Amino acid sequence: MTTPIIVPALGTVNQRLTVSLWLTRVGEQVSAGDRVVELLMPGVTFDIESPCTGTVIACECQPGTEVEEGTVLGWIDPAVTAESEQER
């Protein structure tokens, strides 16, 4: 099951928020907490972290795209670890 990379609640209501740049690429391995995309609001940048360990499989919003809280930015295919196998 894939995991979305979502714009979190940043308190940016009525503020223009855009995707500045992707810090990762499709096919790249990431760990939970790694910075994956940078969002820009006039005068402020926000780094969005990976919600899980796995492989970036899609970048839905390209640089320059306006986004808001709850927007899906991309998708990660979670890594299968020994711990997740034991939970099954």
Side-chain angles (χ1 to χ4, degrees):
M1 186 157 110
T2 57
T3 301
I5 303 166
I6 299 174
V7 177
L10 298 170
T12 59
V13 177
N14 298 324
Q15 295 286 330
R16 185 169 178 243
L17 186 63
T18 59
V19 175
S20 175
L21 65 107
W22 279 88
L23 304 168
T24 58
R25 295 184 179 160
V26 170
E28 188 172 334
Q29 297 287 316
V30 293
S31 295
D34 283 355
R35 299 176 328 152
V36 292
V37 64
E38 179 183 88
L39 302 181
L40 179 65
M41 183 175 73
V44 181
T45 60
F46 298 97
D47 290 334
I48 305 302
E49 298 178 350
S50 174
C52 63
T53 297
T55 304
V56 177
I57 59 169
C59 299
E60 299 286 331
C61 299
Q62 298 307 309
T65 303
E66 285 195 32
V67 295
E68 58 188 33
E69 294 176 5
T71 300
V72 174
L73 299 167
W75 297 89
I76 295 176
D77 185 13
V80 176
T81 63
E83 287 179 14
S84 63
E85 282 295 315
Q86 288 176 354
E87 292 174 3
R88 291 181 182 189

